[in-house]
Amino acid sequence: MAEDGLRIGGLSSGLAVALNGEHRKESSQKTRVVSYCDDFGDQSVERTIEYIFDLPYKTINLLTCPVDTSVIRSIIKNNFLKCHEELNTVVRCEDGVSCVSDGCASQVVTIEESSICGDIRIVKAPLLLESHAMFSSARANACVWKGKWMYEVTLETSGIQQLGWATLSCPFTDHKGVGDADDSYAYDGKRVTKWNKEAEPYGQSWVVGDVIGCCIDFDHDEISFYRNGVSLGVAFEGIRKMVPGLGYYPAISLSQGERCELNFGGRPFRYPVEGFIPIQAPPSTNHLVTQLLRCFSRLLAMQYMERADVNSVEKLRRLKRFVPLEELSRSVSHGICEELFSAFVADVRSAEYIGWGPFLSFIMGVFRGHPPHDYESLDRALDVVLHFQGSRLIFGHIINALSSRCKTATLVLTECPYSGSYPYLALACHMLRRAELMILWWKLPEFDFLFEGFLSQKSPNKQDLQRLMPSVWWPGSCEDISYESSMTLTVTALSESISKIEEKHRDLCRLVIQFTPPTTPPQWPGSVFRTFLQNLLFKNRGSDRNVPPPGVSSNSVLVSLFTVILHFLSEGSPKGGICGWMKGSGNGGPDVGFLHRGGLQSFPIALFLKNDPHRVDISRLGGSYSHLGKSHPVNFDQEAEVIRWEEGCMDDEETRTTHLSRQKPCCCSSQDLDFARSSKDPIRYTAKGSRGHCSSIPERTAQVAAECSAGSLNDEIADKPSTSDQSETEFGYRTMQQVRIVPRESNLSSATLNEEELLDAMLLLYHLGLAPNFKQASSFMSHQSQSIALLEETDKQIRERATGEQLKRLKEARTLYREEVMDCVRHCAWYRISLFSRWKQRGMYATCAWIVQLLLVLSKVDSVFIYIPEFYLESLVDCFHVLRKSDPPFVPNAIFIKEGLASFVTFVATHFNDPRISSAELRDLLLQSISVLVQYKEFLVAFESNESATQRMPRALLSAFDNRSWIPVTNILLRLCKGSGFGSSKHGESSSTSVAFQKLLREACIQDEELFSAFLNRLFNTLSWAMTEFSVSIREMQEKYKVMEFHQRKCSVIFDLSCNLARVLEFCTHEIPQAFLSGTETNLLRLIELIVFILNHLTSVADPEFLDLTLRRPGQSPEKVNRGMILAPLAGIILNLLDASMRTDCRQQDDIVSVFANMDCLDTVLCGFQYLLEYNWAGSVRGDASLSKLRQLEEFSSLLLCQTESQDVKRIGCEGETDGDDSMCCICYAREADAQFVPCSHVSCFGCISRHLLNCQRCFFCNATVTEVVRDNPRTAQV
């Protein structure tokens, strides 16, 4: 037949091909299926090849031989290169640039080693640099003096770096670098400044992953900088002209630990700037490779269209007997690749540039960044390319490029949900499913570094958030109502993007866990992931320091890895646990997550006891590992043991909540699901949640230990002298019946990756990566609440009484507050999107419940408990409070502890003064947690119903009141005792008071007189110290005639602490008055002296208005903070003593009036009482009961005045009789010296000696150690 004679090389001349329009050019014209079968003279094979290689029509003559690879290569050489003559010529303007290496001309731009000052090291070739000195500088080996040039810097850290240009005359020293000399210009995004001898504001703050373009324009004598391709504006104008060979060098200066990657042109620019060219020229093969890959793309597109329109193609085949495109595509694709790799052989150095540029673009184009991804076309391309030996080098660079793109990818709202690093992660996951590519990646020396790059996720700065969230709304705002729905849609889109990225992170980690490396002996699946995890944690062990060491990972890497592990442990895995998960998902169906399984729990003790080099330098509860190894050596048999317990075994039976009980924990209960539905609007909680949960003590902001994440005031105020000890040795009340330590069943569990090991790593990742983020989120939420309050107050003032100049100032202030609110709302929304998704809250809650049970169980085994890493406890406490304050809330406060975390109350109540916990900071952390929780009624009920808390807390709190922990202990006692004091303020006092704990505290004080005496002594000392500090600070500000912010803050904090201490002292006089009236006269005398001391400090202030001003911080009203806060407890103390003195059981007590009257400073006493009575109590106290008690004070003041007058008369009559009386105490000159120290025999009154010995055991005359005190009467006091 005639048709059979027209076949060319086995291919039909009637091949259906995808062609463009008339000229078949690539630009913007849609392809269509065209058949050339109507005219058999037009051979479609030739026309198809012409289309693939973008050749003019009928360039290729009739082919008379089979179309194989050699034919295709011949067409490329004879036709393709002739039609694209520009591929054979490379135009490069070398005028204006000079590159020298070792005194010789060079084509590779790198760092000039001789220019390095400090310690700059190449972390990863070719140009990833890190500073290991306090300040290091270096410049490149190339300079420019004419034209328009640029280079890029990718930030691996976001600290102090000065990036720019410098001449040879710019000196580099330990303190001066780029930008610190005349012909030296730099940009620093950490400080948002530009440098040219002096610093000026410029640009935007930068973040990890930013790509900074450094551009110099000699046509206009300007230097400018770009952040992620967006111009920051001209930074410097009128730069000095230079001569050939003596131009401006790319130069950088880095502070310690800072890391960045330079690109002078050795790779394609991430964000090229039009008109500016790289300092290093691209390889000569770049254009050829780019065009050949475009030809390959057209071939794959034809195949894709054939598959997409399969019905039409099949119809044509049936009519005209077409041969499939596959027979032609194999020859064409192999011919293209042979030409590509022959070009690489000619220029090996071009492989990096080609891999990062044309090849990556080709693969991304074939794959398609947005779904639906073209997996089939990608697989076809990979099959062809991997057939060639040189492909391994190219794919090594492609994997590097994909990892780098994940670091630098930014979220784009219009591309959501497939934005950010998603396209690169999706491509990497698909490629790495091929065993040869996974092995190739694993064998790369930078495997860990690249893995971290894939797990990186770029965080937005202020300007990025403005771009992502253009419309901002918050409850109560005056913004356009449409902004609410707009922001809701924005938050939803961004949440979906983050979810997609996290899903790909999990896919990638699953691939690594499933990977079995080709080693001898063979390794178990999961070994590669375990090694990566260990190395990552080891190198980041110091990242929580104020100045992290060099080499630490990006915070986003730690967060991403934490999220991956949390999802596996919480959300479940295929049946079969970790082994099933490593085999992949899909057949078994979802199983219950490790954290939610309940029932019998177990944990390998070896994780704590083993001498693992990756963990030995981690601090343990009992101290350092090396110290514990000497004092409590590990029994090797213990390392092979597993501790097992039944879930909930450490809880009270009546309140026990487990995953197997009818009432399940919050993380698995229907209550959680119902509450999640009611909280599904992510915007509604923007302000409400912040104001209700972030300001932990809205009534009294001076409660310095209000949030356990905040630092103690001990950082600002020096410790005062005090004495205390810890005699508690038992820390639990649960039996060990449900806890067992058994040998490990086999060595298989130690060889494979298991859930307990992942949980251990996850806690450390939380401590290093998540905790700082949550702290920052809490700061933004708190600042948002304050800014909204200021904005609302300003709006109120504008509406009410603002006029003229005042109105102008208020409007300016309103603009500023509004911008602050919008910035905080955006940041809070971002943190909710990235950190507070519902499943993460659920997993974190389950983690808290699991870990606190583990800690309680191990607290029964001293030899193991002391080896527990400190980060277990730190992560537990931080995670607990993050969930408690989460916005939107995870569950209502009423069930937050009750249904799942009752064990947390047990642990903090029984271990805040556990001597086995060597770190005072950790014990403070537990105390601060109690301080936070007891201020809320719902949480206070949990403490009252907890058996361990009621048994241990009262005595433990009294013994813990020392020079370090007195602030949180005071806050706790104040919460428990509130409501029992005189004139409880009607402006913001919490309703959280506990009658049950007040009774327990009273019983503890009465039953243990020695403990109460020591506590009372420390309370007297502390309150005296606090008022002295307050008085000194007031005097300093009065002398300077102005209120300094720091001094005012210090005054307000100390005043608030003094008020709290006075309230605690008032409680003691109310509940245990006999300790002052019927006991040793020292207590009563010290109490009265302290009252007079405080009143004297208050009355001695010359300007009462100045005093009121110093008591309040900015934003606090006079109604909430005033002098009545300290006067009320003083009045309450006097009234308590008077009431007690009227009872029959205290008839023999010291006369209160006489003690006051016998004070040396009678005028001061009377002046203080007058000050107390004249205060405006009606505006400060609540109810008529307190006001009626003021009449008692008036009667007491009258009696005091009368007794004082009668004593004056007696004193006048006895003036001559007391002269020269040597029997009086030389310390107080008020009583007879009736006691002497042994062995030094110095004498004084027994009252002065007793008070002195409370704090010091040495004679106050000769400093000799006192062994005994002997009184004149037969009674003696043994020291």
Side-chain angles (χ1 to χ4, degrees):
M1 296 178 61
E3 187 176 348
D4 293 334
L6 291 172
R7 294 182 177 272
I8 309 282
L11 296 178
S12 171
S13 61
L15 185 63
V17 296
L19 300 176
N20 286 341
E22 295 181 4
H23 302 289
R24 288 170 271 172
K25 292 185 178 178
E26 189 179 353
S27 60
S28 73
Q29 295 174 335
K30 296 183 179 180
T31 59
R32 56 191 175 90
V33 176
V34 178
S35 173
Y36 280 81
C37 345
D38 295 334
D39 183 2
F40 292 113
D42 291 333
Q43 302 299 331
S44 59
V45 173
E46 292 82 4
R47 304 296 81 81
T48 301
I49 296 174
E50 288 172 356
Y51 166 73
I52 293 173
F53 289 99
D54 195 23
L55 299 174
Y57 184 60
K58 291 191 176 181
T59 301
I60 301 177
N61 297 323
L62 180 65
L63 297 175
T64 59
C65 60
V67 181
D68 56 13
T69 303
S70 60
V71 171
I72 297 299
R73 295 193 67 181
S74 175
I75 292 173
I76 293 174
K77 294 177 180 178
N78 298 325
N79 301 98
F80 179 73
L81 293 180
K82 288 182 179 179
C83 292
H84 299 83
E85 294 182 356
E86 71 278 3
L87 302 181
N88 296 319
T89 58
V90 178
V91 179
R92 166 69 176 179
C93 178
E94 300 293 341
D95 188 18
V97 61
S98 173
C99 181
V100 178
S101 179
D102 296 329
C104 302
S106 174
Q107 295 181 349
V108 179
V109 182
T110 184
I111 290 296
E112 182 63 51
E113 292 188 7
S114 62
S115 71
I116 296 177
C117 177
D119 187 3
I120 286 184
R121 304 180 186 180
I122 297 179
V123 178
K124 174 180 174 290
L127 287 170
L128 179 58
L129 310 178
E130 185 174 56
S131 171
H132 286 245
M134 291 303 294
F135 196 68
S136 304
S137 301
R139 62 175 173 266
N141 63 344
C143 65
V144 294
W145 63 87
K146 180 182 178 182
K148 299 168 72 173
W149 306 88
M150 73 172 289
Y151 70 98
E152 283 187 339
V153 182
T154 301
L155 302 180
E156 293 280 333
T157 57
S158 58
I160 295 177
Q161 304 182 33
Q162 294 171 206
L163 315 175
W165 305 84
T167 64
L168 288 174
S169 62
C170 173
F172 292 159
T173 69
D174 293 339
H175 304 286
K176 290 186 178 182
V178 186
D180 296 325
D182 285 331
D183 293 325
S184 178
Y185 307 90
Y187 162 52
D188 176 5
K190 173 66 174 178
R191 294 172 286 189
V192 197
T193 54
K194 60 180 179 180
W195 295 82
N196 179 230
K197 293 189 71 175
E198 301 295 335
E200 296 181 25
Y202 173 79
Q204 303 172 2
S205 61
W206 57 31
V207 296
V208 175
D210 276 345
V211 179
I212 306 301
C214 304
C215 302
I216 189 166
D217 181 359
F218 290 103
D219 296 343
H220 299 90
D221 299 333
E222 294 175 346
I223 290 178
S224 57
F225 297 91
Y226 288 73
R227 176 176 174 264
N228 302 324
V230 178
S231 174
L232 301 178
V234 176
F236 304 101
E237 296 178 311
I239 61 174
R240 189 160 67 95
K241 294 282 189 181
M242 304 301 290
V243 298
L246 294 175
Y248 287 92
Y249 291 78
I252 60 169
S253 295
L254 310 176
S255 58
Q256 186 172 24
E258 293 304 307
R259 196 166 61 245
C260 66
E261 187 167 26
L262 305 179
N263 180 15
F264 300 115
R267 300 167 178 169
F269 283 150
R270 184 72 173 87
Y271 298 101
V273 179
E274 186 178 358
F276 290 85
I277 58 178
I279 299 174
Q280 179 175 322
S284 58
T285 56
N286 177 51
H287 293 297
L288 173 61
V289 171
T290 302
Q291 290 300 325
L292 288 175
L293 289 174
R294 286 178 182 173
C295 298
F296 201 169
S297 296
R298 278 191 289 270
L299 173 63
L300 294 171
M302 292 167 58
Q303 294 176 300
Y304 176 81
M305 290 192 65
E306 184 182 51
R307 296 193 305 273
D309 200 11
V310 64
N311 292 332
S312 299
V313 173
E314 287 299 326
K315 183 178 179 180
L316 289 172
R317 282 179 182 162
R318 285 195 299 270
L319 292 175
K320 299 295 182 178
R321 295 187 296 166
F322 287 175
V323 174
L325 185 62
E326 295 296 330
E327 297 187 23
L328 178 63
S329 64
R330 185 184 182 282
S331 299
V332 174
S333 58
H334 279 71
I336 291 174
C337 287
E338 286 187 12
E339 284 297 316
L340 285 174
F341 288 104
S342 65
F344 294 151
V345 172
D347 187 4
V348 178
R349 292 180 301 177
S350 66
E352 180 180 12
Y353 191 97
I354 299 302
W356 282 68
F359 242 108
L360 179 61
S361 300
F362 162 70
I363 291 180
M364 287 297 300
V366 172
F367 178 66
R368 301 186 180 183
H370 285 207
H373 301 300
D374 190 356
Y375 294 110
E376 187 172 347
S377 294
L378 178 61
D379 287 335
R380 288 172 180 268
L382 295 178
D383 288 338
V384 173
V385 176
L386 287 171
H387 178 74
F388 295 88
Q389 187 173 0
S391 62
R392 301 308 188 267
L393 177 62
I394 290 295
F395 276 103
H397 290 301
I398 290 175
I399 293 173
N400 269 272
L402 287 172
S403 174
S404 177
R405 289 295 179 93
C406 290
K407 293 180 184 179
T408 60
T410 58
L411 287 173
V412 179
L413 188 59
T414 56
E415 297 178 359
C416 290
Y418 305 103
S419 183
S421 59
Y422 171 83
Y424 310 109
L425 284 168
L427 174 58
C429 288
H430 186 73
M431 288 174 51
L432 294 173
R433 284 186 173 89
R434 292 173 171 262
E436 62 267 41
L437 291 182
M438 176 59 83
I439 294 173
L440 171 66
W441 178 32
W442 173 69
K443 287 185 176 181
L444 291 176
E446 59 270 17
F447 169 80
D448 286 1
F449 179 84
L450 298 179
F451 199 175
E452 289 187 38
F454 285 123
L455 294 174
S456 298
Q457 190 171 340
K458 190 174 175 183
S459 299
N461 70 355
K462 179 179 179 180
Q463 289 75 19
D464 296 331
L465 287 176
Q466 289 176 351
R467 173 177 50 81
L468 289 173
M469 304 179 194
S471 301
V472 174
W473 182 90
W474 63 94
S477 69
C478 300
E479 306 298 319
D480 192 318
I481 192 63
S482 64
Y483 287 4
E484 178 181 4
S485 58
S486 175
M487 188 173 183
T488 301
L489 292 173
T490 299
V491 169
T492 302
L494 293 175
S495 298
E496 290 178 359
S497 289
I498 297 298
S499 178
K500 294 290 184 183
I501 293 172
E502 290 175 348
E503 180 184 351
K504 289 304 171 184
H505 283 160
R506 295 194 294 271
D507 289 346
L508 182 65
C509 289
R510 182 181 289 110
L511 288 172
V512 176
I513 291 178
Q514 295 170 352
F515 173 61
T516 302
T519 59
T520 304
Q523 300 183 29
W524 288 94
S527 60
V528 174
F529 187 79
R530 171 190 279 168
T531 302
F532 166 74
L533 199 55
Q534 290 176 341
N535 293 340
L536 179 78
L537 295 175
F538 181 72
K539 80 170 187 175
N540 286 282
R541 60 193 183 280
S543 62
D544 55 339
R545 302 173 190 164
N546 292 331
V547 181
V552 298
S553 304
S554 167
N555 175 266
S556 67
V557 176
L558 306 180
V559 173
S560 297
L561 202 51
F562 168 86
T563 305
V564 168
I565 298 175
L566 179 65
H567 190 277
F568 165 65
L569 295 179
S570 174
E571 297 307 295
S573 62
K575 292 182 179 180
I578 185 71
C579 296
W581 189 58
M582 289 188 295
K583 293 176 183 176
S585 59
N587 298 326
D591 193 10
V592 177
F594 168 77
L595 296 171
H596 304 284
R597 288 175 191 164
L600 185 64
Q601 312 280 14
S602 64
F603 195 87
I605 300 177
L607 278 176
F608 300 149
L609 303 182
K610 189 177 180 181
N611 187 10
D612 189 337
H614 290 89
R615 301 171 60 91
V616 291
D617 58 347
I618 295 176
S619 298
R620 312 303 174 103
L621 294 184
S624 67
Y625 187 91
S626 58
H627 167 73
L628 292 174
K630 297 174 182 176
S631 58
H632 300 81
V634 176
N635 184 345
F636 290 105
D637 293 335
Q638 284 183 294
E639 292 188 14
E641 292 176 343
V642 174
I643 190 164
R644 292 179 179 171
W645 70 96
E646 194 69 29
E647 183 190 15
C649 67
M650 307 304 293
D651 297 333
D652 301 329
E653 289 188 12
E654 59 272 15
T655 60
R656 184 175 299 171
T657 302
T658 70
H659 287 87
L660 301 182
S661 62
R662 187 180 62 83
Q663 178 63 56
K664 301 193 181 301
C666 292
C667 55
C668 295
S669 65
S670 57
Q671 174 75 30
D672 169 41
L673 299 176
D674 295 340
F675 193 75
R677 294 190 194 100
S678 66
S679 311
K680 63 182 179 180
D681 187 346
I683 304 301
R684 287 289 176 181
Y685 291 88
T686 301
K688 294 179 182 178
S690 300
R691 299 173 107 168
H693 294 270
C694 292
S695 180
S696 58
I697 308 180
E699 309 86 18
R700 303 276 292 279
T701 57
Q703 308 299 334
V704 295
E707 295 299 343
C708 64
S709 59
S712 171
L713 253 196
N714 293 339
D715 297 336
E716 297 182 12
I717 304 174
D719 291 340
K720 76 245 170 291
S722 177
T723 58
S724 67
D725 55 16
Q726 294 181 342
S727 57
E728 308 293 341
T729 57
E730 297 180 1
F731 292 87
Y733 297 91
R734 303 286 172 266
T735 63
M736 292 287 287
Q737 295 175 356
Q738 295 173 290
V739 178
R740 292 174 295 160
I741 300 178
V742 298
R744 181 177 291 168
E745 295 178 355
S746 67
N747 293 326
L748 177 63
S749 58
S750 62
T752 59
L753 191 63
N754 54 60
E755 287 99 338
E756 292 84 2
E757 190 176 353
L758 289 177
L759 177 62
D760 175 82
M762 187 183 77
L763 289 177
L764 185 51
L765 288 168
Y766 179 96
H767 174 67
L768 298 175
L770 270 293
N773 289 5
F774 282 126
K775 185 176 181 179
Q776 187 136 17
S778 178
S779 175
F780 273 109
M781 291 176 182
S782 178
H783 187 57
Q784 172 184 306
S785 178
Q786 297 171 9
S787 299
I788 289 176
L790 291 171
L791 180 62
E792 292 174 349
E793 180 65 25
T794 305
D795 286 337
K796 180 181 177 182
Q797 293 180 18
I798 291 175
R799 289 193 303 267
E800 290 180 352
R801 56 181 179 272
T803 57
E805 188 65 26
Q806 183 186 18
L807 178 61
K808 180 181 178 182
R809 288 196 300 269
L810 285 173
K811 287 185 175 181
E812 291 175 353
R814 185 189 186 282
T815 301
L816 180 62
Y817 292 146
R818 180 175 176 272
E819 290 178 355
E820 289 181 355
V821 170
M822 294 175 70
D823 183 49
C824 288
V825 169
R826 288 188 177 103
H827 276 92
C828 291
W830 173 254
Y831 282 118
R832 279 197 305 276
I833 291 168
S834 58
L835 300 177
F836 286 106
S837 60
R838 195 70 191 168
W839 75 263
K840 292 176 186 174
Q841 290 178 317
R842 178 175 180 263
M844 289 166 61
Y845 188 95
T847 300
C848 287
W850 211 99
I851 293 302
V852 75
Q853 286 279 334
L854 173 66
L855 293 179
L856 282 172
V857 168
L858 292 180
S859 67
K860 306 299 180 183
V861 187
D862 288 354
S863 61
V864 179
F865 184 76
I866 57 176
Y867 275 92
I868 296 176
E870 287 185 352
F871 68 79
Y872 268 66
L873 185 51
E874 292 170 331
S875 298
L876 167 67
V877 174
D878 189 85
C879 187
F880 173 89
H881 288 284
V882 164
L883 287 171
R884 179 184 60 81
K885 299 186 299 178
S886 61
D887 176 21
F890 176 55
V891 291
N893 284 351
I895 65 171
F896 181 75
I897 287 180
K898 181 181 178 182
E899 297 182 8
L901 283 177
S903 297
F904 184 84
V905 173
T906 302
F907 185 83
V908 296
T910 56
H911 290 80
F912 69 82
N913 67 335
D914 188 341
R916 295 176 299 175
I917 301 177
S918 63
S919 170
E921 288 83 0
L922 284 183
R923 295 197 299 271
D924 282 350
L925 192 64
L926 299 178
L927 265 177
Q928 291 167 359
S929 294
I930 299 174
S931 176
V932 170
L933 293 176
V934 296
Q935 67 183 299
Y936 297 104
K937 184 177 180 179
E938 299 89 346
F939 299 144
L940 183 58
V941 171
F943 278 86
E944 291 176 335
S945 61
N946 187 282
E947 181 184 352
S948 299
T950 54
Q951 290 184 17
R952 289 194 47 78
M953 264 183 60
R955 292 176 184 272
L957 286 172
L958 296 177
S959 64
F961 189 91
D962 58 16
N963 65 331
R964 180 181 181 89
S965 303
W966 64 275
I967 293 178
V969 171
T970 301
N971 291 333
I972 295 169
L973 293 175
L974 182 69
R975 305 294 188 280
L976 301 179
C977 302
K978 268 187 176 180
S980 62
F982 169 78
S984 297
S985 173
K986 59 185 179 183
H987 300 291
E989 283 222 350
S990 173
S991 60
S992 61
T993 183
S994 175
V995 176
F997 271 106
Q998 290 177 14
K999 179 181 178 181
L1000 292 170
L1001 284 168
R1002 181 177 183 275
E1003 292 174 353
C1005 293
I1006 293 175
Q1007 294 172 4
D1008 195 336
E1009 292 185 5
E1010 183 179 354
L1011 174 64
F1012 178 63
S1013 177
F1015 166 75
L1016 203 57
N1017 174 55
R1018 294 193 293 268
L1019 182 59
F1020 283 140
N1021 290 344
T1022 306
L1023 183 53
S1024 176
W1025 168 85
M1027 284 307 301
T1028 302
E1029 285 288 316
F1030 175 74
S1031 179
V1032 170
S1033 299
I1034 291 288
R1035 193 178 305 117
E1036 288 178 353
M1037 285 194 291
Q1038 284 182 317
E1039 292 173 354
K1040 295 178 180 179
Y1041 297 102
K1042 64 178 181 179
V1043 179
M1044 304 292 291
E1045 182 179 355
F1046 170 76
H1047 287 293
Q1048 183 181 14
R1049 182 171 181 267
K1050 181 180 177 181
C1051 282
S1052 63
V1053 169
I1054 297 178
F1055 176 75
D1056 220 355
L1057 291 173
S1058 302
C1059 297
N1060 295 346
L1061 291 166
R1063 282 292 186 189
V1064 174
L1065 190 56
E1066 180 188 12
F1067 170 79
C1068 294
T1069 60
H1070 182 270
E1071 296 294 332
I1072 314 106
Q1074 61 270 27
F1076 304 91
L1077 299 177
S1078 302
T1080 174
E1081 65 177 3
T1082 302
N1083 288 342
L1084 180 61
L1085 186 60
R1086 292 186 72 183
L1087 177 63
I1088 293 176
E1089 288 177 351
L1090 191 56
I1091 294 173
V1092 174
F1093 176 74
I1094 295 174
L1095 289 173
N1096 180 44
H1097 278 302
L1098 294 175
T1099 57
S1100 63
V1101 178
D1103 187 355
E1105 293 184 1
F1106 182 84
L1107 174 63
D1108 289 338
L1109 178 63
T1110 58
L1111 301 182
R1112 296 187 295 274
R1113 299 184 194 178
Q1116 291 181 325
S1117 64
E1119 292 82 7
K1120 289 186 178 181
V1121 181
N1122 51 56
R1123 285 169 287 167
M1125 293 172 60
I1126 189 68
L1127 293 176
L1130 297 183
I1133 290 171
I1134 298 172
L1135 291 170
N1136 290 337
L1137 295 177
L1138 291 176
D1139 289 342
S1141 66
M1142 301 301 293
R1143 295 198 294 266
T1144 55
D1145 57 342
C1146 295
R1147 289 295 182 184
Q1148 302 300 321
Q1149 88 293 335
D1150 295 321
D1151 185 357
I1152 306 299
V1153 178
S1154 299
V1155 178
F1156 271 103
N1158 287 327
M1159 297 292 292
D1160 292 336
C1161 46
L1162 292 177
D1163 293 338
T1164 301
V1165 174
L1166 295 174
C1167 180
F1169 268 89
Q1170 191 66 23
Y1171 182 83
L1172 199 62
L1173 292 171
E1174 291 178 354
Y1175 183 74
N1176 180 24
W1177 291 106
S1180 300
V1181 301
R1182 179 190 299 147
D1184 296 333
S1186 296
L1187 292 175
S1188 63
K1189 284 182 169 289
L1190 290 174
R1191 285 190 282 273
Q1192 280 184 269
L1193 280 180
E1194 294 176 358
E1195 295 173 2
F1196 177 78
S1197 181
S1198 300
L1199 291 173
L1200 178 61
L1201 183 61
C1202 293
Q1203 188 158 343
T1204 301
E1205 292 175 352
S1206 63
Q1207 287 183 354
D1208 287 343
V1209 173
K1210 292 180 181 179
R1211 190 178 295 109
I1212 293 173
C1214 300
E1215 283 182 352
E1217 300 177 7
T1218 59
D1219 292 344
D1221 188 357
D1222 294 335
S1223 63
M1224 298 299 292
C1225 172
C1226 61
I1227 301 298
C1228 64
Y1229 292 99
R1231 291 181 293 273
E1232 183 180 356
D1234 58 353
Q1236 67 176 357
F1237 291 116
V1238 175
C1240 62
S1241 300
H1242 287 110
V1243 296
S1244 181
C1245 70
F1246 187 72
C1248 289
I1249 288 178
S1250 299
R1251 183 185 303 186
H1252 173 72
L1253 291 179
L1254 287 172
N1255 299 304
C1256 182
Q1257 300 297 317
R1258 293 180 178 274
C1259 172
F1260 40 47
F1261 294 109
C1262 64
N1263 205 34
T1265 300
V1266 178
T1267 59
E1268 189 179 11
V1269 176
V1270 180
R1271 302 189 68 169
D1272 289 346
N1273 54 37
R1275 294 180 299 170
T1276 61
Q1278 186 72 29
V1279 177

